[in-house]
Amino acid sequence: FDKLKYNRWDAEDAIHGNITNALHLEIAELSVDHESGSRKNRTTINIFKGIFACVERKDSFKATIKVLNNKNKMSVNNSDNLSEVKMDSTEFENMFNVYSDNPVVAMRVLTSDIMEKIIEYEKRLNIHYELLISKNGIYMRLFTKELFEPSIFNKDKEKKNMRMYYEILNL
């Protein structure tokens, strides 16, 4: 997603398995940091914290498509040679930036009903996420707080959290 360098990461609550013979899924709660300096001068910059999901396919996709948060803009001189793709939905463009090395394929994949689902999901759960489709993988990162932690003394919160966990895994 980003070209930021990292040197420390931690994963927990991992789920992996085959969805079909052609699709393999991996999901984990991930924290990615860049640490520099030592001892008292150590600084840690969090690059990503949330859920990271990867679906690998046996066949290869013929384009690269990045759907990023509106605040996460790629530089004009990006090393992936991706250009910004203007979509047909103003609401979608207010929330996301789309980049691709093949704008025609990006428009075919991100149809109006797919863009509506992406918007609806972000609004309903109030969780920002980004997508990358490239070669044989579909990658997704969801900027969430810690997940899968029980709310032992609050049944209403536990019920709400379980619903949110289901929605995230279902996506």
Side-chain angles (χ1 to χ4, degrees):
F1 287 92
D2 302 312
K3 297 296 181 188
L4 302 173
K5 295 187 187 277
Y6 66 92
N7 54 11
R8 202 175 111 219
W9 63 275
D10 181 46
E12 62 179 40
D13 298 327
I15 301 168
H16 62 92
N18 293 327
I19 300 171
T20 66
N21 287 339
L23 296 174
H24 179 76
L25 170 71
E26 292 190 36
I27 302 172
E29 189 173 349
L30 190 63
S31 179
V32 178
D33 302 312
H34 182 266
E35 213 171 75
S36 60
S38 62
R39 298 187 183 172
K40 290 183 181 179
N41 296 326
R42 178 168 292 174
T43 59
T44 302
I45 298 169
N46 182 260
I47 295 170
F48 172 72
K49 183 165 182 65
I51 296 292
F52 188 84
C54 170
V55 176
E56 292 180 344
R57 306 161 25 131
K58 288 189 178 179
D59 56 334
S60 186
F61 191 67
K62 304 294 183 216
T64 297
I65 302 170
K66 280 187 180 183
V67 179
L68 302 178
N69 176 351
N70 237 1
K71 295 177 183 92
N72 189 6
K73 292 187 182 260
M74 289 181 63
S75 67
V76 176
N77 300 326
N78 68 75
S79 61
D80 296 328
N81 293 319
L82 303 179
S83 57
E84 189 167 6
V85 180
K86 294 295 180 192
M87 304 307 291
D88 295 338
S89 168
T90 305
E91 186 178 15
F92 185 84
E93 285 205 341
N94 287 335
M95 298 170 80
F96 297 98
N97 293 317
V98 177
Y99 301 91
S100 181
D101 56 1
N102 189 332
V104 173
V105 172
M107 296 288 278
R108 285 184 180 166
V109 170
L110 295 170
T111 61
S112 59
D113 52 329
I114 295 293
M115 287 189 290
E116 276 182 40
K117 284 198 177 289
I118 291 171
I119 292 167
E120 185 263 329
Y121 182 80
E122 179 146 337
K123 283 181 173 180
R124 185 165 31 98
L125 289 179
N126 199 24
I127 294 175
H128 174 69
Y129 62 100
E130 297 179 332
L131 303 164
L132 169 62
I133 303 170
S134 183
K135 297 179 183 154
N136 67 332
I138 301 170
Y139 308 92
M140 178 182 278
R141 66 180 179 179
L142 296 95
F143 296 86
T144 61
K145 59 182 175 40
E146 287 186 344
L147 296 180
F148 310 116
E149 304 300 328
S151 300
I152 297 171
F153 300 110
N154 189 337
K155 287 188 180 210
D156 290 337
K157 186 176 180 183
E158 183 70 17
K159 195 182 244 185
K160 180 181 171 188
N161 286 346
M162 289 298 289
R163 180 65 186 176
M164 183 176 65
Y165 302 158
Y166 169 78
E167 292 285 341
I168 288 170
L169 295 176
N170 192 39
L171 179 66

